[in-house]
Amino acid sequence: MTVQATAATGGRPDWVRLMPGVFVLLWSTGFIGAKYGLPYAEPLTFLLVRLALVAAVLGVVALVTRAPWPKTWAEAGRIALAGLLVHGVYLSGVFCAIAKGMPAGVTSLIVGLQPLLTAALSGPLLGERVTARQWGGLLLGLAGVALVVSEKISFDSANLMGMGLAGAALLGITLGTLYQKRHGTAMDLRSGAAIQYAVTAAVLAVLAPMFETMQVQWTGEFVFALLWLSFVLSVGAIFLLFALIRRGAAARVASLFYLVPPVTAVIAWAMFDERLGALALVGMAMAVAGVAMVNRAR
């Protein structure tokens, strides 16, 4: 790239400008990868294999690179608890919801309301002020989700279970984020993530045999989904997220998550023929607009 071309892009090379878009695309494929691999393994079993693999790899990376580890058991416990909420409750909720038949696009939209729920809870839990505009965005986003869900979900027991699981996933990632923010645990990404994945895998190793057969069909599709979710999502997308933040893009990174539901819906339509009608598309636009209102009001 020439000096003139670099100057024309604000002093940043093209690959840096592409990083946000690549992150959104990778994060959106997490819901698709779950649906792609779940026909060959039950959700908790799938997650157990995935997280154990990632924990082992990151543990080796942390040791080889001499990453710092928590200095006290209390610090390690806080890291582990945040991991259980974010990885355990969130991922288990997403995987189980999709396994119950929830469309990947609808699941991503429900859990994509995490910034809205965080705004609602940050006042009572963190003492932060929530503005009138933020509350307006919260209500607009919830109305949008209601439109999407009303068109795609019938109120039988299976769909209600899927909605409940997606709601649990939303609650898990929200409380996990708030917990980590409140306690301000400055963990090293390599060692901290290894702890979080290992502890979550240990819990799943207890729960999976209680509720599932633990059978895995090691097909090419399952192996591809496993490797994609393990390394592209659990390692690649997370490291890309931190790279964006280190480059001073933290404010913009928050808004990137709001683009995940529509991108997931497009991919789900292309791969699985998941279709959203006019009412659902309007609802999705309302949800994205509502979250944007919350973000811009801060």
Side-chain angles (χ1 to χ4, degrees):
M1 187 179 203
T2 64
V3 174
Q4 290 83 358
T6 303
T9 59
R12 296 178 298 167
D14 286 339
W15 66 269
V16 173
R17 300 176 65 222
L18 292 174
M19 284 171 63
V22 173
F23 171 75
V24 170
L25 180 61
L26 293 182
W27 200 264
S28 301
T29 62
F31 301 91
I32 306 302
K35 182 161 184 173
Y36 195 66
L38 281 172
Y40 311 103
E42 293 160 294
L44 298 183
T45 301
F46 191 171
L47 276 177
L48 171 59
V49 176
R50 169 187 172 182
L51 298 186
L53 175 61
V54 177
V57 171
L58 286 181
V60 172
V61 170
L63 292 173
V64 170
T65 59
R66 298 182 179 181
W69 293 81
K71 295 180 175 60
T72 65
W73 284 108
E75 183 182 354
R78 289 191 291 268
I79 291 174
L81 179 55
L84 284 172
L85 288 169
V86 173
H87 303 303
V89 178
Y90 167 67
L91 289 178
S92 295
V94 168
F95 272 56
C96 291
I98 293 176
K100 288 291 184 181
M102 281 282 287
V106 176
T107 305
S108 72
L109 180 62
I110 292 175
V111 299
L113 288 177
Q114 183 260 342
L116 292 171
L117 186 57
T118 298
L121 295 178
S122 61
L125 294 182
L126 299 178
E128 295 180 355
R129 178 175 174 269
V130 180
T131 66
R133 179 170 178 170
Q134 287 176 319
W135 282 116
L138 173 62
L139 295 176
L140 179 61
L142 291 177
V145 172
L147 284 179
V148 176
V149 171
S150 66
E151 181 174 283
K152 295 294 293 184
I153 303 298
S154 59
F155 291 96
D156 55 33
S157 59
N159 281 319
L160 288 175
M161 177 65 73
M163 291 171 60
L165 289 166
L170 169 61
L171 192 62
I173 194 170
T174 301
L175 293 178
T177 301
L178 289 171
Y179 180 85
Q180 201 155 9
K181 179 178 180 180
R182 179 170 183 173
H183 291 277
T185 303
M187 75 174 193
D188 181 88
L189 179 61
R190 297 158 295 178
S191 60
I195 292 172
Q196 292 184 338
Y197 287 130
V199 170
T200 305
V203 173
L204 288 172
V206 175
L207 294 178
M210 296 172 59
F211 299 101
E212 299 179 353
T213 65
M214 300 286 289
Q215 295 180 354
V216 177
Q217 301 177 44
W218 291 92
T219 63
E221 290 85 354
F222 175 78
V223 172
F224 175 79
L226 174 64
L227 295 178
W228 182 273
L229 292 174
S230 297
F231 298 107
V232 178
L233 267 293
S234 294
V235 178
I238 292 295
F239 276 72
L240 183 58
L241 171 63
F242 274 75
L244 287 167
I245 294 174
R246 282 197 300 269
R247 290 182 174 274
R252 292 192 300 274
V253 169
S255 65
L256 295 178
F257 287 98
Y258 312 152
L259 300 176
V260 170
V263 173
T264 301
V266 171
I267 300 174
W269 166 75
M271 293 187 64
F272 306 114
D273 199 31
E274 286 188 6
R275 297 183 180 275
L276 295 176
L279 189 63
L281 291 174
V282 171
M284 183 171 289
M286 288 172 60
V288 172
V291 182
M293 284 176 62
V294 174
N295 187 52
R296 291 173 182 171
R298 291 180 177 179

